[in-house]
């Protein structure tokens, strides 16, 4: 440790600290800033002429005026009680001085290599000479989109059983209105049959106006778990498809004559009773099997029907996915 009580030792300590500051300033190439531990730093007085640092000619102590009127090291006369010794290690002082410089956090490129110790840079020429030549890096390849998992093939019996998990039927859209907090979303009250109504939130505002959807009979799923879309709960899902070429979105609709509550079933089968809730596990198996063929909605290759005829998806190309 360094003892700063005696004037001679104080001068040596001050010289050591000054040397550390100069070395750090030259090595890092950045200016020294105010010590964040200085209790007067928050007053920002250093930038003005109200605070000055004066070195004591006797012991070398830096007097901070106007806060110190005399040297705190020299004011103790011989024979009186001496002040306590201020002891610190060079390692501690080195760490404190490091905080006085504005430096960026180390990165992977700043880690030392195994090429051996390097000489400290002392100037611009030295810095340029010491800097290793960087090899040009090849441009990073664009990330490749993940390939979709193949849709598993289902037997006719398996398709009928799985399709029955979702309560899919015709519904009437009423009171269609914009979402108050999301421009891309619309809200509608959905008549699902039997005098029951649920709320729908769907991202259709870029493809339909509220007037175009008002009163429309669409195909919906009403036994999924409700989900909030931008703070508004959606209790129903509206089935729609996106054209592969134009990106146009079209909602699935029944053949004319269908009324709210008419169940959707697979061609050649009868409507089956659906569970109260279609779990996420089953719905994630149902969605990949939905597609468009010749303007008609299909599930696992089987056309979807209501009592009035096939479920239609107008103006959508073949093999488009229904979501």
């Amino acid at each position: 440790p360094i003892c700063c009580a005696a004037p001679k030792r104080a001068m040596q300590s001050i010289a050591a600290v000054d040397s550390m500051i100069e070395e750090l300033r030259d090595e890092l190439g950045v200016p020294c800033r105010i010590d964040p531990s200085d209790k007067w730093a928050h007053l920002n007085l250093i930038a003005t002429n109200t605070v000055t640092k004066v070195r004591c000619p006797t012991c070398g102590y830096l007097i901070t005026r106007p806060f110190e009127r005399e040297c705190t090291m020299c004011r103790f006369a011989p024979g009186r009680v001496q002040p306590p010794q201020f002891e610190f290690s060079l390692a501690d002082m080195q760490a404190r001085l490091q905080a006085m410089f504005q430096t960026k956090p180390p990165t992977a490129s700043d880690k030392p290599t195994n090429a051996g110790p390097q000489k400290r840079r002392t100037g611009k020429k030295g810095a340029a000479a010491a800097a290793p030549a960087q090899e040009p890096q090849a441009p990073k390849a664009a990330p490749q989109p993940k390939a979709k998992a193949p849709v598993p093939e289902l037997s006719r019996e398996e398709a009928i059983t799985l399709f029955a998990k979702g309560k899919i039927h015709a519904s009437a859209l009423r009171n269609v209105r914009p979402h108050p907090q999301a421009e891309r979303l619309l809200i509608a009250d959905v008549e699902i049959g039997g005098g029951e109504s649920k709320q729908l939130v769907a991202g259709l505002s870029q493809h339909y106006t509220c007037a175009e959807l008002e009163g429309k009979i669409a195909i919906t799923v009403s036994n999924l778990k409700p989900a909030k879309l931008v703070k508004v709960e959606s209790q129903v899902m509206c089935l729609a498809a996106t054209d592969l070429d134009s990106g146009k979105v079209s909602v699935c609709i029944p053949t004319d004559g269908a009324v709210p509550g008419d169940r959707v079933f697979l061609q050649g089968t009868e409507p089956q009773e659906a569970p109260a809730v279609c779990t996420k596990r089953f719905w994630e198996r149902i969605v990949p099997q939905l597609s468009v063929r010749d303007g008609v909605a299909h599930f696992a290759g089987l056309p979807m029907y209501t009592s009035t005829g096939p479920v239609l998806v107008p103006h959508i190309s073949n093999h488009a996915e229904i979501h």
Side-chain angles (χ1 to χ4, degrees):
I2 301 176
C3 175
C4 298
K8 183 177 180 181
R9 298 293 293 166
M11 292 295 291
Q12 294 176 352
S13 301
I14 293 171
V17 172
D18 289 343
S19 176
M20 290 181 191
I21 294 175
E22 292 177 0
E23 289 180 0
L24 282 172
R25 183 178 57 208
D26 293 339
E27 182 175 353
L28 299 175
V30 293
C32 180
R33 61 181 177 87
I34 297 174
D35 185 351
S37 63
D38 187 351
K39 63 180 180 179
W40 306 107
H42 70 282
L43 299 177
N44 197 24
L45 300 176
I46 301 300
T48 68
N49 296 325
T50 58
V51 177
T52 58
K53 293 282 189 177
V54 179
R55 192 177 297 278
C56 176
T58 303
C59 67
Y61 175 77
L62 281 177
I63 304 171
T64 305
R65 292 179 177 170
F67 307 111
E68 295 176 314
R69 297 184 179 180
E70 59 183 0
C71 178
T72 57
M73 291 295 179
C74 297
R75 67 181 179 178
F76 293 90
R80 297 179 61 181
V81 178
Q82 297 296 317
Q85 294 182 345
F86 302 97
E87 296 184 352
F88 55 88
S89 66
L90 288 175
D92 293 338
M93 180 56 68
Q94 187 81 10
R96 288 179 60 84
L97 290 176
Q98 189 73 28
M100 298 173 63
F101 292 86
Q102 296 175 346
T103 58
K104 65 178 181 179
T107 60
S109 60
D110 298 328
K111 293 182 179 180
T113 62
N114 297 328
Q118 297 181 358
K119 294 184 179 180
R120 182 169 58 87
R121 298 192 295 269
T122 57
K124 293 183 178 179
K125 293 183 178 179
Q134 296 183 355
E135 297 181 359
Q137 298 180 354
K140 294 182 179 180
Q144 297 295 330
K146 293 183 179 180
K148 292 184 179 180
V151 178
E153 294 185 4
L154 301 178
S155 66
R156 179 180 175 85
E157 292 73 18
E158 290 174 334
I160 294 173
T161 301
L162 180 58
F163 186 78
K165 299 295 183 182
K167 189 174 183 180
I168 306 174
H169 52 79
S171 299
L173 307 183
R174 309 290 187 191
N175 190 25
V176 184
R177 57 201 181 274
H179 192 292
Q181 295 179 301
E183 295 181 356
R184 303 180 66 177
L185 298 179
L186 294 177
I187 304 174
D189 299 328
V190 179
E191 296 180 11
I192 63 174
E196 188 178 0
S197 180
K198 291 189 177 184
Q199 183 169 260
L200 166 70
V201 182
L204 296 172
S205 65
Q206 293 183 325
H207 307 280
Y208 290 91
T209 65
C210 294
E212 289 173 335
L213 290 177
E214 184 66 34
K216 194 176 189 68
I217 304 296
I219 302 300
T220 62
V221 187
S222 61
N223 67 337
L224 298 175
K225 184 178 179 180
K228 282 191 175 182
L229 301 180
V230 193
K231 301 182 180 180
V232 178
E233 185 176 73
S234 181
Q235 302 164 325
V236 185
M237 175 181 286
C238 182
L239 294 185
T242 303
D243 187 80
L244 298 176
D245 299 323
S246 64
K248 175 181 174 59
V249 172
S250 181
V251 298
C252 301
I253 59 175
T255 302
D256 291 344
V259 296
D262 283 356
R263 288 293 303 275
V264 176
F265 53 90
L266 300 180
Q267 186 182 33
T269 67
E270 295 293 332
Q272 300 186 28
E273 188 67 22
V277 177
C278 178
T279 62
K280 181 179 179 182
R281 178 170 65 92
F282 284 118
W283 185 246
E284 288 180 345
R285 292 176 57 195
I286 292 174
V287 172
Q289 302 288 344
L290 296 170
S291 63
V292 179
R293 297 184 185 181
D294 299 325
V296 176
H298 283 65
F299 177 80
L302 300 175
M304 297 165 56
Y305 270 70
T306 65
S307 59
T308 60
V311 174
L312 307 176
V313 194
H315 314 296
I316 298 298
S317 57
N318 283 338
H319 309 295
E321 298 177 350
I322 297 176
H323 45 80

